[in-house]
RNA sequence: GGGCGCGUAGCUCAGUGGGAGAGCAUCCGCUUCACACGCGGGGGGUCGUUGGUUCAAUCCCAACCGUGCCCACCA
């Protein structure tokens, strides 16, 4: 006799979820050690920034990781999901600088050592906040393996990779045009720059010819940089300017003469077809400058202010060489912020008559993805990774099919990005991060080593000095993230974890960081860890609001799962509701909260199915035991067959990253198939012998199939039912081999459903109150099928009386069941049925009469059509007969 | 300029080369002994437009229109 707990009427996630999570942690269910006896399944959690909060993107992306890990664990694999966090150099430093500013302090007066200390304190205090959210959402990564990108082990891996790449000639130091963030006071890689459309002007400015001629008019969005112009470029074939090529024009106000040159990069159609060339402050101009060997004077400093005089870049500020050309005439702009300078210069040019036109113009501004400041392209001496030799193997791995993307098309995005890769600027001028393992002698000889002692040894040997200063720069955050799939497994040590769990099976992330992160893990994994870092990259859709807008605080449409969803719908409702909206081919997920509400009600519905099961007087047998087959009713066989189909569909869906399909399938089966039909059918008298066992069997398998998506309610139900094992987390995935299938009986029950639908519809139309029994006549020949008759009686709430007649298959006899009403209403009903059936028969006949259909369509399609016609015809006969009988 | 996604019921979205679907919303009826976070029933769509392939197109192909995203040095 199974214990029969008193179950509360309503399922309460707020009580259940934290309680169950605590038991899971106590039982260490999420922890795994490498076990070569089982297939590995490992996912590296994309490390959230220590400054981050859980947002809806985590709700979708991270939930899919939790689902897959839980699913593969249930399949018996050696499944682990390794969590961690990213030090997020620039983002964290920005937060700290803001905090300091509130106290009226600055980073520089605090000093590097104290600042780093403060950052560590901050990380200890706030860095783990997101983990608490993850736990509340039910995520089950292996917390005992949590890593941080600045852990000693991971930092050592970073240093080793840097030193090795340097020794292999793949890291170099060079002066290039960089993306400078004047707010963060650091460079950014191209990938960290975002474009944003802004309204501005296209200013047309006349540069007079040196000989006093009218010269030409250039068009620019950045008039303030004209001070550092070194040339004007026109297209070589542009007849309008051919006479000026090789001659000089004169910059207004400052009066400096610069040459007119010809370059293919100029589009003669755009603007005036004449481009000012400022190599130190524009990427295209920089390239033109290189081609024509132009000087590259700088006029905007690292703080975004105009300088006068111009200066020639050098990494040591004290060695900057001033260029005195017309410095006095620029003095009025010296020290002005670049945007103020723009306004002043435009005004002055206008006053001078040099401003020819001022056209409203919409352009894309480069913004820092970290500080949102407008990026200033600047010349700077930085450290770079030579990417082409790394990109080649990463492309080959993709083209060979060693790495696949889901959906496939993102592979093409990945490949296109790697094909056009440019060198990677990895040095950052922030303090929080991995400091470059680079030292300089007083003569600026460079020493790269994995420790200061080693650096000194090398310096003594090569340069006869150990008077070294360390480069103050730190590494791009993505440099350490790029090592993540193997650094967290203990690389470069050959740990059991690395040997068994590398490569990872799946990497799940968003399409916005395919290049930023995925490509770098590929490049660095292939070079350092001996192979691809993961076999499959699943790109989860981005989350938007219900109208397709990006969620943002300023728009007021941002949804915080922790405050807006979990309290209302529970973690299960939140997870299930989000996943239900995920579709493989869609790039966006328009989040609609109603799905979470539905999911929460679904949990309650299942809970009540459990209450019903537990309230039955019959005994519940042990876990996963079905009654002998000969005792099973048609309804039993139907639900077991449906369960099997459900498990198969859900398995396929998880295997194919079709999380929305999995959730749909579970909802459909759990609510409609199981609760609305089977549970109701068990109330028939003939069901009592088998129903408790079948309900328990089906629920048990069903909650296991649903557990990866909704871990809590499924655990609570599973624990209440007879079960094997301590927790559903480590229970086994439902084995379809142990779920029998009865297609013929299932089809019979399908006919019962069809008939009951008809009878319910008739009841409604005939105005029979739900509480009243409906009178139904069944053919006498159906009477021996007791469970069918009882099912119809119970589901349609029908009072059964026999009539003489009925033949053919069980299905035919079920369809011959008829409701009883007054003649007028019955006639109406039959007339409508006849009309519907006649049109179906006509459609089918027309199709079969079409010779080319019969000749060219496949045989089974034609056969199926014939069977349909046959069915419809017989139903039509029956309806006509019934109508005739009434009339007589 | 290249690449990609999406246009199906009022809303958000499934789906299929052969009789148009779900949830929500709406309307009607029910405190039916698991559940009113529920149950039963109904109304509502020429599947973006125009062509093509096919015996057959909402589905495959082309063009177009609308919409969103990604990449690229248009000043």
């Amino acid at each position: 006799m199974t214990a029969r707990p008193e179950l509360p009427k309503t399922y309460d996630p707020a009580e259940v979820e934290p309680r169950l999570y605590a038991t899971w942690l106590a039982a260490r269910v999420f922890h795994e050690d490498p076990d070569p006896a089982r297939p590995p399944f490992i996912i590296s959690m994309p490390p959230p920034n220590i400054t981050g909060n859980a947002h809806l993107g985590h709700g979708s992306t991270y939930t899919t990781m939790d689902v897959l890990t839980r699913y593969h664990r249930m399949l018996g694999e050696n499944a682990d999901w390794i969590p961690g966090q990213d030090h997020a150099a620039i983002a964290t430093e920005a937060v700290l600088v803001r905090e300091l500013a509130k106290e009226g302090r600055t980073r520089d007066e605090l000093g590097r050592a104290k600042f780093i200390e403060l950052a560590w304190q901050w990380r200890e205090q706030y860095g783990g906040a997101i983990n608490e959210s993850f736990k509340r959402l039910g995520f089950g990564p292996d917390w005992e393996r949590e890593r941080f990108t600045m852990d000693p082990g991971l930092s050592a891996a970073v240093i080793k990779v840097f030193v090795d790449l340097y020794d292999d000639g793949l890291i170099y130091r060079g002066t290039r045009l960089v993306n400078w963030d004047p707010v963060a006071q650091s460079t950014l890689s191209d990938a960290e720059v975002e474009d944003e459309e802004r309204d501005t002007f296209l200013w047309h400015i006349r540069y007079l010819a040196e000989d006093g001629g009218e010269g030409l008019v250039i068009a620019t969005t950045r008039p303030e940089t004209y001070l550092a112009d070194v040339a004007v470029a026109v297209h070589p074939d542009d007849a309008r300017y051919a006479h000026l090529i090789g001659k000089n024009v004169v910059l207004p106000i400052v009066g400096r003469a610069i040459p007119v040159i010809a370059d293919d990069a100029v589009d003669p159609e755009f603007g005036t077809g004449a481009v000012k060339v400022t190599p130190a402050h524009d990427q295209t101009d920089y390239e033109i400058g290189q081609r024509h060997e132009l000087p590259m004077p700088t006029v905007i400093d690292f703080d975004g202010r105009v300088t006068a005089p111009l200066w020639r870049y050098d990494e040591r500020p004290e060695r900057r060489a001033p260029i005195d050309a017309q410095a006095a005439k620029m003095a009025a702009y010296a020290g002005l912020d670049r945007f103020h300078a723009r306004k002043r210069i435009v005004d002055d040019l206008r006053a001078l008559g040099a401003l020819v036109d001022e056209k409203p113009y919409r352009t894309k501004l480069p913004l820092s993805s970290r500080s949102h400041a407008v990026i200033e392209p600047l010349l700077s001496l930085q450290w770079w990774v030579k990417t082409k030799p790394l990109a080649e193997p990463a492309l080959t791995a993709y083209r060979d099919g060693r790495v696949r993307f889901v959906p496939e098309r993102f592979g093409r995005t990945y490949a296109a990005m790697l094909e056009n890769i440019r060198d990677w600027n990895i040095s950052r001028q922030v303090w929080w991060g991995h400091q470059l393992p680079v030292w300089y002698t007083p003569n600026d000889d460079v020493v790269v080593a994995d420790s200061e002692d080693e650096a000194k040894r090398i310096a003594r040997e090569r340069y006869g000095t150990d008077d070294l200063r360390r480069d103050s720069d730190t590494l791009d955050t993505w440099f350490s993230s790029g090592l993540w799939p193997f650094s967290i497994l203990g690389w470069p040590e050959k740990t059991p974890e690395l040997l068994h769990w590398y490569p990872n099976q799946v990497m799940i992330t968003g399409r916005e960081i395919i290049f930023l992160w995925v490509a770098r893990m590929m490049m660095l994994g292939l070079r350092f860890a001996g192979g691809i870092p993961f076999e499959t990259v699943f790109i989860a859709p981005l989350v938007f609001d219900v109208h397709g807008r990006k969620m943002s605080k300023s728009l007021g449409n941002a949804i915080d799962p922790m405050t807006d969803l979990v309290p209302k719908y529970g973690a299960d409702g939140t997870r299930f509701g989000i996943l239900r909206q995920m579709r493989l081919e869609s790039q966006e997920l328009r989040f609609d909260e109603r799905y979470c509400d539905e999911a929460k009600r679904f949990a309650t519905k299942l809970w009540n199915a459990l209450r019903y099961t537990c309230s039955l007087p019959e005994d519940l047998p042990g876990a996963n035991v079905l009654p002998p087959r000969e005792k099973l009713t048609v309804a039993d066989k139907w639900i077991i067959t449906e369960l099997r189909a459900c498990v198969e569909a859900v398995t396929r869906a998880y295997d194919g990253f079709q999380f929305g399909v999995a959730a749909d399938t579970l909802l459909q089966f759990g609510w409609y198939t199981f609760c609305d039909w089977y549970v109701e059918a068990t109330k028939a008298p003939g069901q009592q012998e088998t129903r408790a066992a079948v309900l328990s069997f089906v629920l048990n398998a069903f909650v296991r199939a649903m557990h990866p998506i909704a871990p809590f309610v499924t655990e609570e139900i599973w624990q209440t039912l007879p079960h094997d094992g301590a927790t559903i987390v480590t229970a086994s995935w439902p084995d379809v081999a142990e779920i029998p299938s009865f297609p013929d009986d299932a089809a019979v029950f399908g006919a019962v459903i069809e008939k009951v639908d008809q009878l319910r519809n008739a009841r409604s139309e005939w105005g029979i109150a739900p509480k009243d029994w409906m009178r139904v006549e069944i053919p006498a020949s159906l009477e021996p099928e007791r469970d069918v008759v009882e099912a119809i009686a119970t589901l349609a709430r029908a009072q059964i009386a026999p009539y003489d007649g009925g033949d053919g298959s069980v299905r035919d006899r079920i369809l011959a069941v008829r409701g009883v009403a007054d003649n007028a209403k019955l006639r109406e009903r039959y007339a409508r049925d006849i009309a519907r059936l006649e049109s179906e028969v006509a459609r089918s006949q027309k199709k079969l009469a079409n010779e080319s259909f019969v000749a060219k369509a496949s045989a089974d399609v034609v056969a199926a059509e014939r069977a349909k016609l046959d069915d419809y015809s017989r139903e039509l006969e029956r309806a006509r007969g019934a109508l005739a009988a009434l009339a007589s």
Side-chain angles (χ1 to χ4, degrees):
Chain A
M1 185 76 189
T2 316
R4 291 296 164 79
E6 277 295 318
L7 301 178
K9 191 166 171 180
T10 306
Y11 173 74
D12 179 16
E15 184 276 322
V16 172
E17 294 180 348
R19 170 165 56 78
L20 289 181
Y21 200 88
T23 67
W24 292 337
L25 281 189
R28 299 177 68 202
V29 294
F30 304 133
H31 178 68
E32 284 273 346
D33 284 313
D35 173 9
R38 287 180 290 154
F41 183 86
I42 183 95
I43 298 180
S44 302
M45 176 190 287
N49 290 351
I50 52 173
T51 55
N53 292 312
H55 52 73
L56 215 46
H58 296 112
S60 61
T61 312
Y62 286 57
T63 299
T64 64
M65 295 178 222
D66 193 41
V67 167
L68 287 181
T69 309
R70 286 174 183 273
Y71 167 60
H72 284 270
R73 183 185 295 118
M74 293 177 83
L75 285 174
E77 295 173 16
N78 189 202
D80 208 65
W81 180 25
I82 301 187
Q85 299 185 325
D86 194 299
H87 65 283
I90 294 178
T92 306
E93 185 144 325
V95 168
L96 289 167
V97 167
R98 264 203 304 279
E99 292 294 313
L100 285 174
K102 281 183 197 160
E103 302 165 16
R105 297 195 290 168
T106 69
R107 183 188 82 152
D108 291 330
E109 68 191 42
L110 202 62
R112 185 165 189 142
K114 280 253 161 44
F115 184 82
I116 302 275
E117 196 178 311
L118 189 73
W120 277 105
Q121 279 171 15
W122 191 91
R123 146 156 174 87
E124 293 308 320
Q125 199 172 348
Y126 304 106
I130 201 166
N131 285 347
E132 295 314 306
S133 301
F134 285 177
K135 288 173 182 171
R136 188 62 194 84
L137 282 164
F139 295 166
D142 186 349
W143 294 112
E144 295 171 44
R145 295 189 180 279
E146 186 177 354
R147 295 291 185 272
F148 178 50
T149 47
M150 283 176 63
D151 279 348
L154 274 66
S155 295
V158 165
I159 299 302
K160 177 172 170 50
V161 167
F162 186 98
V163 173
D164 286 1
L165 285 174
Y166 179 81
D167 288 345
D168 293 344
L170 293 178
I171 282 184
Y172 65 92
R173 195 182 186 212
T175 300
R176 300 278 184 282
L177 203 66
V178 299
N179 304 300
W180 183 259
D181 178 339
V183 170
Q185 283 289 302
S186 179
T187 61
L188 296 176
S189 69
D190 292 341
E192 290 168 297
V193 176
E194 293 169 349
D195 288 334
E196 192 174 298
E197 291 226 323
R198 294 273 179 87
D199 286 316
T200 175
F201 294 93
L202 194 57
W203 287 279
H204 290 55
I205 304 167
R206 180 169 297 282
Y207 291 1
L208 294 172
E210 198 176 26
D211 58 16
E214 64 176 10
L216 44 66
V217 176
I218 58 94
T220 182
T221 54
R222 298 213 51 198
E224 69 278 12
T225 62
Y226 99 102
L227 298 167
D229 282 4
V230 294
V232 170
V234 298
H235 194 274
D237 303 334
D238 195 333
R240 293 171 294 177
Y241 302 114
H243 65 287
L244 288 170
I245 295 172
K247 305 220 168 102
N248 281 351
V249 291
V250 179
L251 295 175
I253 305 177
V254 293
R256 190 154 52 81
I258 56 174
V260 177
I261 59 174
D263 195 286
D264 284 332
V266 180
D267 175 5
E269 304 294 315
F270 186 87
T272 62
V275 188
K276 65 193 269 307
V277 180
T278 324
H281 295 288
D282 181 277
Q283 184 64 39
T284 312
D285 294 4
Y286 177 75
E287 286 162 18
I288 294 175
Q290 282 189 313
R291 280 196 288 274
H292 297 266
E293 296 180 341
L294 299 170
M296 300 196 176
T298 296
V299 71
I300 295 174
D301 214 335
F302 293 99
D303 56 4
R305 292 175 188 281
V306 169
T307 56
L310 302 172
W311 48 281
R312 183 164 296 119
Y313 177 79
D314 192 286
E315 76 274 18
R316 309 273 290 264
E318 63 273 20
R319 293 194 206 156
R320 282 179 180 179
I323 301 169
D324 201 22
Q326 310 296 339
K329 293 176 179 168
M330 292 169 56
Y333 311 115
L336 290 181
D337 172 84
R338 52 195 164 142
F339 301 110
H340 294 150
R342 174 181 301 176
K343 195 172 177 310
R344 280 281 291 279
I345 286 172
V346 167
D347 288 346
D348 291 352
L349 289 171
R350 187 184 292 116
L352 197 68
L355 187 70
V356 178
D357 204 352
E358 200 171 2
K359 289 189 168 138
Y361 184 62
R362 195 166 176 79
T363 191
K364 282 178 190 159
L365 274 188
L367 300 183
S368 162
S369 61
R370 304 291 179 172
S371 71
H372 297 102
V374 177
I375 293 298
E376 183 61 46
L378 281 175
L379 279 180
S380 182
L381 180 64
Q382 299 290 339
W383 287 88
W384 304 80
V385 172
K386 203 179 282 178
T387 46
K388 284 223 164 20
L390 295 169
E392 270 315 310
L395 270 170
T396 308
Y398 165 70
R399 291 186 181 134
D400 290 353
R402 277 179 285 152
V403 172
R404 71 172 182 135
F405 283 77
V406 177
E408 270 179 45
R409 59 195 149 83
F410 290 113
R412 295 193 288 276
T413 306
Y414 165 87
M417 287 172 163
L418 281 180
E419 283 160 6
N420 299 313
I421 196 165
R422 292 205 273 174
D423 283 357
W424 174 16
N425 171 212
I426 49 169
S427 46
R428 297 288 179 274
Q429 290 67 53
V430 295
W431 286 349
W432 176 238
H434 302 99
Q435 192 170 355
L436 301 191
V438 174
W439 286 262
Y440 305 102
T441 67
N443 290 332
D444 274 348
D445 296 314
V446 174
V447 179
V448 172
D450 57 14
S451 69
E452 181 147 7
D453 288 345
E454 177 67 5
K456 283 187 172 165
R457 195 190 61 73
I458 294 172
R460 272 193 302 272
E461 191 181 302
R462 289 190 200 154
Y463 307 113
T465 176
D466 59 6
D467 177 14
L468 297 179
R469 69 187 157 84
R470 185 166 183 178
D471 194 312
S472 62
D473 284 1
T474 51
L475 281 164
D476 180 7
T477 298
W478 295 102
F479 194 89
S480 51
S481 328
L483 315 180
W484 189 250
F486 51 97
S487 63
I488 58 175
L489 297 176
W491 184 92
E493 303 303 318
K494 287 192 166 34
T495 60
E497 283 82 0
L498 187 70
L499 293 173
H500 189 52
W501 281 333
Y502 191 90
N504 295 184
Q505 274 58 52
V506 184
M507 166 55 59
I508 301 182
T509 186
R511 74 181 119 92
E512 75 279 11
I513 54 177
I514 288 176
F515 180 72
L516 217 52
W517 195 39
V518 175
R520 279 151 185 185
M521 288 187 286
M522 284 288 291
M523 294 192 291
L524 295 169
L526 281 161
R527 185 159 190 101
F528 289 99
I532 50 164
F534 27 70
E535 294 162 355
T536 300
V537 180
F538 173 59
I539 301 296
L542 296 180
V543 180
F544 294 87
D545 78 359
V546 81
H547 304 293
R549 297 175 305 179
K550 252 190 177 141
M551 289 203 182
S552 75
K553 279 178 189 152
S554 54
L555 270 175
N557 64 345
I559 293 175
D560 178 347
M562 300 316 296
T563 59
D564 300 332
L565 301 177
V566 170
K568 269 195 268 183
Y569 310 114
D572 285 338
T574 301
R575 295 162 60 120
F576 197 95
I578 293 170
L579 286 198
R580 205 159 119 57
Q581 299 174 70
M582 272 179 86
R583 295 298 152 185
L584 201 52
E585 285 306 318
S586 185
Q587 293 184 349
E588 59 183 57
L589 187 165
R590 297 192 176 191
F591 180 75
D592 191 334
E593 202 172 320
R594 287 181 301 197
Y595 287 97
C596 295
D597 184 59
E598 176 192 56
K600 182 206 163 211
R601 288 184 287 109
F602 181 37
T604 305
K605 186 76 182 170
L606 292 173
W607 180 251
N608 277 288
L610 173 73
R611 285 182 66 227
Y612 171 76
T613 303
C614 292
S615 73
L616 295 174
E618 295 86 30
D619 284 347
L620 300 182
N624 308 318
V625 176
L626 276 176
R629 291 193 179 199
E630 63 274 13
K631 301 252 188 199
L632 293 174
T633 66
V634 168
D636 294 334
K637 290 174 180 169
W638 172 77
I639 196 63
I640 293 166
T641 305
E642 291 284 326
L643 170 71
R644 182 180 163 126
C646 170
V647 169
E648 283 171 342
V650 171
T651 302
R652 262 198 313 276
Y654 286 157
D655 286 341
F657 301 92
Q658 303 258 28
F659 299 99
V661 173
D664 271 352
T665 306
L666 290 164
L667 184 82
Q668 192 67 35
F669 177 87
W671 201 320
Y672 302 101
T673 307
F674 182 65
C675 288
D676 286 351
W677 287 102
Y678 182 70
V679 171
E680 289 309 313
T682 63
K683 294 172 184 173
Q687 286 291 149
Q688 286 173 9
E689 191 174 349
T690 54
R691 64 183 181 186
V694 175
L695 284 164
S696 175
F697 178 88
V698 173
L699 260 180
N700 188 310
F702 176 75
V703 293
R704 278 182 285 142
M706 183 160 150
H707 174 258
I709 300 186
F712 295 109
V713 69
T714 51
E715 171 82 303
E716 191 73 351
I717 291 172
W718 188 81
Q719 292 285 353
T720 308
L721 293 167
H723 58 276
D724 289 329
T727 163
I728 194 172
V729 178
T730 51
S732 62
W733 187 250
D735 180 358
V736 290
E738 290 172 12
I739 305 176
S741 179
F742 309 92
D744 296 342
D745 298 275
V748 169
F749 197 79
V752 169
I753 288 175
E754 200 178 318
K755 178 51 67 181
V756 169
D757 273 340
Q758 272 179 30
L759 293 173
R760 284 173 174 172
N761 172 274
R763 169 198 282 278
S764 182
E765 285 181 12
W766 296 343
I768 301 171
K771 63 174 185 243
D772 291 330
W773 292 87
M774 180 182 186
R775 288 188 54 218
V776 166
E777 292 179 341
I778 65 166
S781 59
L782 190 62
E783 283 206 281
E785 312 288 339
R786 285 315 302 167
D787 51 353
V788 167
V789 173
E790 282 175 5
I792 293 173
T794 302
L795 292 167
R797 204 175 162 74
Q799 201 173 38
I800 303 286
Y803 73 91
D804 190 19
D807 56 9
S809 66
V810 179
R811 182 188 148 79
D812 284 335
R813 283 177 278 152
I814 289 170
L815 293 178
V817 169
R818 60 200 194 193
V820 179
D822 68 64
N823 281 359
K825 284 192 168 167
L826 263 186
R827 269 199 295 273
E828 258 176 56
R829 160 123 215 135
Y830 285 130
R832 261 208 318 283
D833 281 354
I834 287 166
R836 178 179 59 85
L837 290 164
E838 277 172 347
S839 86
E840 292 291 358
V841 166
R843 185 192 55 76
S844 198
Q845 278 173 339
K846 185 178 162 199
K847 201 165 191 175
L848 287 164
N850 182 342
E851 280 172 30
S852 41
F853 169 70
V854 179
K856 296 186 184 174
S858 74
D860 46 327
V861 168
V862 176
E865 195 58 43
R866 291 221 163 90
K868 261 192 275 183
L869 176 60
D870 198 46
D871 260 14
Y872 287 133
S873 305
R874 267 184 296 167
E875 259 192 82
L876 182 57
E877 284 299 298
R878 250 195 316 267
R880 280 179 175 150
L883 185 58
L886 278 181
S888 62

